[in-house]
Amino acid sequence: MKRKQRRKPREEIVDYVVAIDGWDWGYSFSLNMERQPIDPYHEFRHLQVKGRLMTPTGLKTDRVEISLLPSHELVEEKRKELTPIALGSLSLGPDGVLGNIGIPWGALTPILLMLIAGRFRFVLMRGTQFRHRSAKLNSLRLETKLTEDDPLPEEGVVSDPAAGFQASPGPEKIDAGGVVRGVGKGRSAAAGREV
């Protein structure tokens, strides 16, 4: 009699929300010293976004450092042939949560401009729950504010509004938890449409 194979349990999907409190960027360009280089040059652009993990809570640390790694392979024409298993990953270390996420080469400049201007306030990622101190990510967003549709910190975990929440012009306000709420009658600021 054949033994039934047990199905692998479906991994729980978690939203990771980080309030940005700093960033750094490094660049290097050199000759490629490998024995048989594909490219005679080696170019490296490394953008690090640092912050505080707002959700999920319960980890030993709330410090996060995410490395966004631009790649020519993720240019729209080339990436159609890829079969990715993840966008990137998070790992839990003694000094905090470290992330590595590939981004399209062309996305680096607008992201840098928004960080220089102090506009991006949050990194929102979705992926698997931590297992063996690591998690796989399947989405990444950088935002200027959180809306009602975004995952919120648990009750009692409220960020200091001065540390990253900024009101935007228009008929909306930001509550103590950093959530944009419409103040116009019958209007949802999160969706930007009549309800």
Side-chain angles (χ1 to χ4, degrees):
M1 187 170 149
K2 252 187 175 180
R3 289 180 68 185
K4 280 188 179 180
Q5 284 187 339
R6 284 175 33 167
R7 281 188 181 175
K8 198 175 179 181
R10 195 170 178 174
E11 293 182 293
E12 186 180 341
I13 299 299
V14 176
D15 289 301
Y16 298 91
V17 180
V18 178
I20 297 172
D21 60 20
W23 62 276
D24 195 10
W25 184 63
Y27 176 81
S28 70
F29 185 65
S30 61
L31 292 177
N32 192 338
M33 304 307 282
E34 292 176 9
R35 274 185 157 169
Q36 296 177 324
I38 297 169
D39 185 337
Y41 299 100
H42 181 74
E43 186 176 23
F44 187 71
R45 301 174 185 214
H46 188 120
L47 175 59
Q48 291 177 310
V49 180
K50 302 169 186 181
R52 188 178 56 77
L53 186 66
M54 297 172 63
T55 184
T57 57
L59 297 177
K60 289 182 178 178
T61 179
D62 67 353
R63 296 306 306 157
V64 180
E65 188 174 298
I66 300 157
S67 295
L68 300 180
L69 308 166
S71 170
H72 284 297
E73 297 302 313
L74 294 176
V75 173
E76 198 169 347
E77 299 78 43
K78 291 185 178 182
R79 66 186 182 211
K80 291 175 183 174
E81 296 174 15
L82 301 176
T83 51
I85 57 168
L87 193 67
S89 64
L90 296 176
S91 60
L92 189 56
D95 298 326
V97 177
L98 301 176
N100 287 303
I101 304 171
I103 60 170
W105 193 263
L108 178 64
T109 300
I111 291 172
L112 270 173
L113 290 173
M114 290 290 280
L115 288 168
I116 291 166
R119 297 281 292 133
F120 277 144
R121 305 286 186 168
F122 302 97
V123 179
L124 295 95
M125 301 165 287
R126 179 167 283 172
T128 62
Q129 196 170 32
F130 273 103
R131 188 171 178 207
H132 305 296
R133 305 179 75 80
S134 67
K136 287 186 289 192
L137 298 173
N138 58 36
S139 74
L140 164 75
R141 285 171 42 212
L142 288 104
E143 296 288 348
T144 58
K145 62 190 175 215
L146 295 179
T147 68
E148 291 173 328
D149 295 335
D150 292 320
L152 303 174
E154 294 175 12
E155 285 296 317
V157 183
V158 178
S159 180
D160 175 12
F165 300 122
Q166 182 178 12
S168 64
E172 57 196 48
K173 66 179 181 180
I174 297 181
D175 69 10
V179 179
V180 177
R181 302 210 185 269
V183 293
K185 188 176 179 184
R187 186 164 172 79
S188 164
R193 64 179 183 272
E194 296 295 322
V195 289

